[in-house]
Amino acid sequence: MTRRIIDTGLNLLVKKARQNLHVYLTALLVGASILAFGLTFASTSNAQAASVVSPATLRVGEKLTYNVSFGKIRNAGYAETHVVSRGKLGGKDAVELRAKVKTLELVSAAFFLLDDTRVAYIAPDSGLPLYISSLSLDNGFPKEKVHNYLNQSTSNFDLLTLLFKVRELGGIGTFPLVEDDQLFTAIVQVAAQERIKTEAGEFETSVSTVQCELLAQNGIKELRINFSTDEFRVPVLIRFKTAKGEFKLSLSLIVLPEPELPTPISTPIPMPIPAATPLPTPTPVLYVENLPLLPELGFQLGELLTYRIAAGGKPVGILSLNARERKLFEKADSLRLTATITGVEQGSNSVRLGDVADVQVDPDTLTPTRIEYKFATELLGLNQTVTFDKRSGKISFGGAQPVDSPIGTHSLLSLVYAMRSFNLKPSKDPSSPVNDTRVAVFWENQSFVFTLRPSNPEDILLNGEKVSTQLVTINTGNAQLDALSPKVWLGTETRVPVRFAFGEYVADLITIASNIQK
């Protein structure tokens, strides 16, 4: 059901991504598609047993939304499936299914930027696909594939159509599956019963295990799907393991079709109305401010980094980066990051005391929910407030129409903090940079895909002392920014940014302190 960044700069990722990108993406397809689009039709014997009417799992209007988590990271992305409509396609009875997957750009090479949509029209009696269209925006450029089976039918499923048939058949069966023009066999078996609680409610479920060479080829193991035991067989939870850790796709929202209204009768019969039994009021969970951050992030709450800025070797001012506080922001747990000019050299006009970039981010993923820029002098044109919709990916700013962007798009400041926990290992072959990291970043009025290229460790002279660092060069995809050759030097042990370079400006670290706001 989805795909990740596979572009010209990642030739080896097409090989390695079959062990990395597909580790996540394939499981989302065999998982979230098994999640949302029913492991469609099975073996010939299953096909012969299929009902001639639409199964209960093809409820037009049903929309299922899933939260994707990885290890301790709760919000790694989301998946959504939707039974949109039923009608005729090419003169054939068809049900329209849609699925979408977006992921956050997180802290490890186990995560990949996914922004993919798939649409399938299926025959309601068999669940087999009639027409499939997929659109990927993983690398910022749309990539579309179409498979038309209206004139020549197929007996194979794709990952989108595969799930509803598994739902219909009770989470068990043997299914022919075609992905990337390769034929596989998916074997689904019921293993256990389990009671599951998610954001969408509490469910009695049966656990199905999935075996498929497509999974084995891509390092995915122990794929399990919890289907509700009612007639609708809703996929409630999907779990699978990779070499990086365990992923979970948990049902967070169910939208059901509107019930049909009964035909009114001329003489209604009054019915006694029983007294409503009041529901118990749940005890609210007390929110605790300034809880510690995840150790995987590489920094602690309250960290205060101070830098001396110079332009062309001439002192300009002092910059302070602060992981300031963790509190509720717009009723959600939020970490506040700031970059503030706290000192200005006499005669300097490029910065002003109090210039600030103030960013509210998710405390686990560090992706922003709101940015506020307050600058003067040369940076005056950057002043704006930007808000991010973490569910749709839309970004709003300056009264303009919201723009679409991948889920998990960063700001410059949140990227500075997030890159400290990225898996930045340099490629052995500089001519084949397979370890480049790509991150969506919002700048001015749109998002760009930044490419972070790590180098081997090197010593630099910082405040008169040699410091071991790793240089990370950044290509932004924006001609004006790229002309300034942005670079960051991270300490090899602490992962603290010890130096930034941006055009003629260089910022060197001078102090590290703690400053938790009470």
Side-chain angles (χ1 to χ4, degrees):
M1 144 185 159
T2 53
R3 215 169 289 282
R4 208 315 260 139
I5 284 184
I6 301 174
D7 60 5
T8 54
L10 285 177
N11 290 331
L12 257 177
L13 247 183
V14 176
K15 298 178 182 177
K16 186 175 180 181
R18 295 242 141 132
Q19 301 165 354
N20 274 341
L21 166 68
H22 259 75
V23 165
Y24 187 34
L25 183 150
T26 300
L28 280 176
L29 290 176
V30 176
S33 276
I34 271 183
L35 245 175
F37 292 94
L39 273 165
T40 328
F41 213 47
S43 57
T44 304
S45 60
N46 288 334
Q48 293 172 345
S51 173
V52 295
V53 296
S54 298
T57 52
L58 289 176
R59 297 182 288 180
V60 173
E62 179 196 78
K63 182 183 288 187
L64 306 177
T65 302
Y66 298 84
N67 179 65
V68 180
S69 63
F70 172 69
K72 296 180 180 179
I73 307 297
R74 296 171 299 168
N75 298 306
Y78 82 97
E80 183 177 89
T81 66
H82 190 189
V83 184
V84 180
S85 63
R86 178 168 181 171
K88 295 289 184 180
L89 183 67
K92 297 182 179 181
D93 196 14
V95 175
E96 179 187 3
L97 308 176
R98 290 180 179 266
K100 186 174 182 63
V101 170
K102 282 192 175 187
T103 61
L104 306 173
E105 186 66 37
L106 296 175
V107 298
S108 151
F111 294 86
F112 294 89
L113 183 63
L114 300 175
D115 188 350
D116 298 272
T117 302
R118 190 176 293 202
V119 179
Y121 295 88
I122 69 171
D125 56 346
S126 68
L128 288 167
L130 301 171
Y131 187 93
I132 301 170
S133 173
S134 61
L135 177 65
S136 171
L137 299 173
D138 295 343
N139 60 1
F141 298 97
K143 183 178 181 181
E144 186 172 11
K145 288 186 178 181
V146 172
H147 297 279
N148 189 341
Y149 303 111
L150 288 169
N151 296 325
Q152 185 173 356
S153 61
T154 180
S155 59
N156 303 317
F157 307 98
D158 75 328
L159 287 170
L160 171 102
T161 54
L162 189 54
L163 174 56
F164 279 105
K165 183 53 68 171
V166 167
R167 289 175 62 178
E168 178 190 347
L169 298 179
I172 188 170
T174 302
F175 307 87
L177 169 68
V178 171
E179 281 293 327
D180 293 331
D181 300 321
Q182 295 185 63
L183 178 63
F184 301 92
T185 298
I187 301 173
V188 186
Q189 297 175 308
V190 176
Q193 302 292 314
E194 192 173 8
R195 188 170 182 83
I196 293 294
K197 186 176 182 179
T198 73
E199 293 179 24
E202 199 162 348
F203 303 85
E204 293 292 344
T205 70
S206 61
V207 184
S208 293
T209 61
V210 183
Q211 293 178 315
C212 183
E213 183 61 27
L214 177 64
L215 302 177
Q217 285 182 5
N218 296 287
I220 300 166
K221 52 188 179 182
E222 298 183 29
L223 175 56
R224 295 169 292 162
I225 307 168
N226 289 68
F227 294 99
S228 65
T229 54
D230 58 22
E231 62 179 313
F232 304 113
R233 305 293 299 165
V234 174
V236 174
L237 178 66
I238 292 178
R239 292 164 284 184
F240 56 88
K241 293 182 179 179
T242 73
K244 299 290 185 180
E246 185 176 24
F247 287 85
K248 292 182 180 180
L249 290 85
S250 178
L251 184 65
S252 59
L253 180 66
I254 302 177
V255 177
L256 298 177
E258 292 288 340
E260 295 185 6
L261 296 176
T263 302
I265 58 178
S266 56
T267 308
I269 301 174
M271 299 293 290
I273 302 175
T277 302
L279 296 174
T281 303
T283 303
V285 177
L286 181 64
Y287 178 79
V288 179
E289 295 183 347
N290 291 328
L291 286 175
L293 301 175
L294 294 174
E296 294 91 338
L297 297 180
F299 64 95
Q300 296 181 350
L301 185 66
E303 179 191 73
L304 177 64
L305 306 176
T306 305
Y307 297 83
R308 180 181 293 108
I309 308 173
K314 183 179 178 180
V316 170
I318 302 297
L319 170 68
S320 295
L321 302 185
N322 192 189
R324 186 175 293 272
E325 59 189 13
R326 180 176 183 175
K327 296 183 178 181
L328 287 177
F329 177 76
E330 295 183 349
K331 299 181 180 181
D333 187 20
S334 184
L335 171 65
R336 184 183 177 196
L337 305 174
T338 59
T340 310
I341 297 297
T342 54
V344 178
E345 291 291 330
Q346 187 174 0
S348 174
N349 297 317
S350 55
V351 294
R352 181 176 294 178
L353 194 66
D355 282 352
V356 64
D358 196 326
V359 184
Q360 297 284 348
V361 303
D362 183 289
D364 294 337
T365 66
L366 302 185
T367 53
T369 56
R370 181 179 180 273
I371 307 170
E372 186 174 9
Y373 295 118
K374 293 182 180 179
F375 298 126
T377 61
E378 294 182 3
L379 303 178
L380 183 63
L382 296 178
N383 286 351
Q384 62 179 339
T385 298
V386 184
T387 58
F388 296 75
D389 187 331
K390 67 178 183 179
R391 301 308 298 268
S392 69
K394 290 187 180 296
I395 300 177
S396 303
F397 57 94
Q401 286 292 325
V403 297
D404 287 324
S405 188
I407 290 281
T409 295
H410 275 282
S411 67
L412 290 180
L413 181 56
S414 65
L415 175 62
V416 166
Y417 280 89
M419 68 188 298
R420 295 169 63 172
S421 50
F422 288 171
N423 184 8
L424 298 173
K425 293 183 179 179
S427 300
K428 294 181 180 180
D429 182 2
S431 65
S432 182
V434 298
N435 285 347
D436 284 1
T437 297
R438 285 166 170 74
V439 188
V441 180
F442 181 81
W443 173 254
E444 290 189 325
N445 58 10
Q446 70 178 97
S447 61
F448 297 87
V449 177
F450 282 23
T451 301
L452 280 58
R453 177 164 298 179
S455 300
N456 289 310
E458 62 176 2
D459 290 342
I460 65 171
L461 196 63
L462 185 72
N463 301 322
E465 297 183 2
K466 282 187 177 182
V467 178
S468 178
T469 66
Q470 181 185 34
L471 169 63
V472 180
T473 57
I474 303 174
N475 182 284
T476 69
N478 177 294
Q480 290 181 327
L481 292 179
D482 286 338
L484 301 175
S485 300
K487 301 179 181 67
V488 180
W489 284 260
L490 299 175
T492 54
E493 297 295 333
T494 63
R495 308 305 291 168
V496 172
V498 298
R499 174 176 291 171
F500 299 96
F502 201 74
E504 66 171 347
Y505 290 92
V506 176
D508 280 346
L509 180 68
I510 50 178
T511 63
I512 303 176
S514 179
N515 184 29
I516 296 180
Q517 299 295 306
K518 301 297 184 181

